[in-house]
Amino acid sequence: PETPPPTMTLFFTVGASGNLIAQAVQSDLRKVGIPVRLQPLDRGALLKATHDGEPDLFRLSWIADFPDADNFLGIFHSARHGSAGNRVRYSNPRVDDLILRSRRSFGPERLALIRQAEKIIVEDAPWIFLMHGRTNLLVKPYVRNLRIGPMDVGTSVNRVDFHAVSFAPPDGGTPP
């Protein structure tokens, strides 16, 4: 008889969305024969556990700190193992080289290096990329020059230049 796979433990941040996501991952892995035990933790305990290399699996979320590809790709560099960001301890010398070269490059050359590194990372799959947040904003048709950027997420639009925003109702009247 075939030996069943060992039960893996999924560490995650306790909370409504954390619980639901962990349960969905557990259910999906169960469907392919991988038993998963859930280990809810507060964020501090989860970060310590990942720093120490304890979890079999863990779920963390994160948004960009600054609008540049290096914000995401840089944490895959092997020099950033552990609490410096590379919590899965991913190591690929080719990716390390591409990341370092992209930091010294500009324009199309930099973009090509970033794309190469990203392609390798996705193929190596050190993470399972579960989701990416999206911001939807309803704006009246008379609002002009409202530019939402990639750093404006959820209900936070604190990077919008509101000095550039104007109100021009289509009928020429005053906005409500």
Side-chain angles (χ1 to χ4, degrees):
E2 191 174 308
T3 306
T7 299
M8 301 186 85
T9 303
L10 170 61
F11 288 56
F12 65 96
T13 306
V14 70
S17 66
N19 294 347
L20 291 172
I21 292 166
Q23 289 166 5
V25 169
Q26 179 186 45
S27 173
D28 287 347
L29 290 174
R30 185 183 309 120
K31 290 175 188 172
V32 294
I34 301 171
V36 175
R37 183 177 72 83
L38 300 181
Q39 179 63 56
L41 299 168
D42 66 60
R43 186 161 176 86
L46 177 60
L47 293 176
K48 181 181 181 332
T50 60
H51 171 74
D52 295 343
E54 186 181 344
D56 298 319
L57 305 166
F58 62 90
R59 189 236 173 215
L60 281 172
S61 61
W62 164 52
I63 61 170
D65 303 305
F66 55 93
D68 187 89
D70 193 69
N71 188 244
F72 291 103
L73 296 182
I75 64 167
F76 288 102
H77 193 282
S78 60
R80 301 215 28 211
H81 282 188
S83 60
N86 189 345
R87 294 179 181 279
V88 295
R89 290 155 178 78
Y90 174 73
S91 185
N92 183 319
R94 179 78 177 124
V95 169
D96 289 351
D97 177 61
L98 289 165
I99 289 170
L100 293 177
R101 288 175 42 214
S102 75
R103 291 174 179 167
R104 297 186 303 263
S105 303
F106 299 94
E109 177 188 357
R110 182 170 189 265
L111 184 58
L113 293 166
I114 287 168
R115 285 184 174 156
Q116 288 176 53
E118 185 177 69
K119 184 175 190 292
I120 294 168
I121 292 165
V122 170
E123 287 172 357
D124 287 349
W127 290 358
I128 298 172
F129 303 93
L130 292 177
M131 67 183 99
H132 181 74
R134 183 176 169 163
T135 298
N136 294 306
L137 188 64
L138 298 175
V139 180
K140 293 285 188 177
Y142 53 79
V143 175
R144 305 281 189 260
N145 301 316
L146 177 62
R147 304 283 184 259
I148 304 297
M151 296 297 290
D152 294 307
V153 294
T155 57
S156 171
V157 288
N158 55 2
R159 290 176 173 80
V160 170
D161 179 7
F162 284 105
H163 296 293
V165 175
S166 63
F167 304 96
D171 62 6
T174 10

